[in-house]
Amino acid sequence: MASEAKAQNGFVETIKTIVYALLIAGVFRTLFFQPFWIPSGSMKDTLLIGDFLFVNKMAYGYSYSSCPSIRVPGIEIDAKDICGFLDGDNKRFLGSEPKRGDVAVFRHPVTGRDFIKRVVGLPGEKIQVRDGVLFINGEPVELKDMPDFVETAEAQGPQGLRPRCANGPVGEGADCIKTRQTETLPNGVEHSILNIGTQGSDNTPVYTVPEGHYFMMGDNRDNSSDSRIPSTAGGVGYVPFENLVGRADRIMFSSGGSSMLFFWTWRSDRFFKGIQ
């Protein structure tokens, strides 16, 4: 009997330990940092498929979007299921506005899925793209040509996504080339952008960013679903302040294969790399 009671006590203590650990992890993820894997190539070459980073949630303060969403096979818990009572006022607790050029994670205004893009347009500004050039309040951003971005034409990441190429279509294992430029935003933030060819998103109407919203674009300009397309039409549209999750500051780990366990695909040159 004593041994049975001892076993039961041990089982209860184990359950309590697991519950406490989950609570601590949940608080840490809600208040401080959220892990994020880069699933697609929309932010190349700033972020590559398989980059792993922690999103700084303290950067912009807290809203319903700060609550974690859990999506694993058989389980889907959305942030709104936990903190939905905070949704709708477009405000944040201890809120701090993002700066132009920040790489930010946010909840899609329609689907609620986490996206990562660069902040290029602030509230009240007029944003337009003409012939692939970003215009802010009628003025073009500064562009400087860089050497082409070259990657291997092959399936990338767990989803097996294949890159689009300016010199494509190309065969398996061939060089996939995109033209690359340095874009300098009005506040001096410099970052590289990629282009594949001419397409509809290279020429847009003039968008006036509403108050309390932001205009987001991917650095891989011809392979990004972003604010150039309304959220109701499959894009992102304007992103409300309350939908921001946090700022991406540094890549912690990177794997170029279909699994992080394939150590031979690790990109050691990207470990702890700062995000510009």
Side-chain angles (χ1 to χ4, degrees):
M1 293 293 292
S3 61
E4 183 177 338
K6 186 176 181 180
Q8 288 180 345
N9 289 335
F11 177 75
V12 170
E13 288 302 316
T14 300
I15 295 298
K16 287 169 63 176
T17 300
I18 293 173
V19 170
Y20 291 152
L22 290 174
L23 286 173
I24 292 171
V27 170
F28 183 86
R29 181 172 173 175
T30 299
L31 297 180
F32 303 112
F33 297 96
Q34 175 177 315
F36 191 85
W37 280 99
I38 303 301
S40 73
S42 69
M43 282 295 293
K44 291 178 180 177
D45 63 342
T46 304
L47 298 172
L48 303 181
I49 295 175
D51 283 349
F52 175 78
L53 48 91
F54 283 103
V55 179
N56 181 358
K57 288 193 166 186
M58 297 175 286
Y60 305 137
Y62 305 96
S63 70
Y64 87 95
S65 299
S66 303
C67 286
S69 295
I70 302 172
R71 292 185 172 93
V72 295
I75 300 175
E76 185 159 334
I77 301 174
D78 189 81
K80 283 190 176 181
D81 297 332
I82 305 171
C83 297
F85 65 94
L86 298 173
D87 179 27
D89 61 2
N90 203 22
K91 296 179 181 178
R92 307 183 72 88
F93 175 66
L94 301 177
S96 178
E97 295 184 2
K99 295 180 176 62
R100 193 195 314 277
D102 283 1
V103 176
V105 172
F106 58 91
R107 285 174 54 83
H108 189 282
V110 174
T111 68
R113 297 281 178 172
D114 286 343
F115 273 52
I116 185 166
K117 306 290 179 186
R118 190 178 297 275
V119 180
V120 299
L122 306 179
E125 294 185 330
K126 296 185 182 299
I127 305 295
Q128 186 180 25
V129 178
R130 304 181 205 164
D131 297 324
V133 179
L134 173 63
F135 282 70
I136 300 176
N137 294 326
E139 295 295 327
V141 298
E142 179 185 339
L143 293 172
K144 182 172 65 175
D145 290 338
M146 294 178 61
D148 291 339
F149 174 73
V150 183
E151 58 185 336
T152 303
E154 61 184 359
Q156 299 179 354
Q159 300 180 56
L161 301 178
R162 298 187 64 84
R164 294 174 58 208
C165 316
N167 61 326
V170 298
E172 181 76 14
D175 283 347
C176 176
I177 299 172
K178 297 177 180 64
T179 60
R180 176 165 47 182
Q181 295 174 299
T182 296
E183 180 178 85
T184 302
L185 298 173
N187 61 344
V189 173
E190 294 184 352
H191 61 97
S192 64
I193 60 170
L194 305 182
N195 285 285
I196 300 167
T198 301
Q199 59 186 50
S201 58
D202 288 331
N203 290 280
T204 73
V206 176
Y207 295 103
T208 301
V209 185
E211 289 301 319
H213 292 71
Y214 298 88
F215 198 95
M216 308 288 195
M217 290 180 66
D219 291 348
N220 190 0
R221 291 289 162 82
D222 293 336
N223 197 46
S224 174
S225 175
D226 51 40
S227 293
R228 289 172 289 178
I229 303 172
S231 58
T232 53
V236 167
Y238 307 120
V239 175
F241 186 38
E242 67 178 350
N243 281 42
L244 297 174
V245 174
R247 186 182 65 215
D249 294 328
R250 187 171 298 275
I251 300 164
M252 305 303 295
F253 172 83
S254 185
S255 173
S258 59
S259 170
M260 65 174 292
L261 299 179
F262 297 166
F263 64 88
W264 57 91
T265 67
W266 292 356
R267 307 182 184 107
S268 58
D269 61 323
R270 298 184 68 79
F271 289 10
F272 309 111
K273 181 180 179 181
I275 298 172
Q276 296 181 333

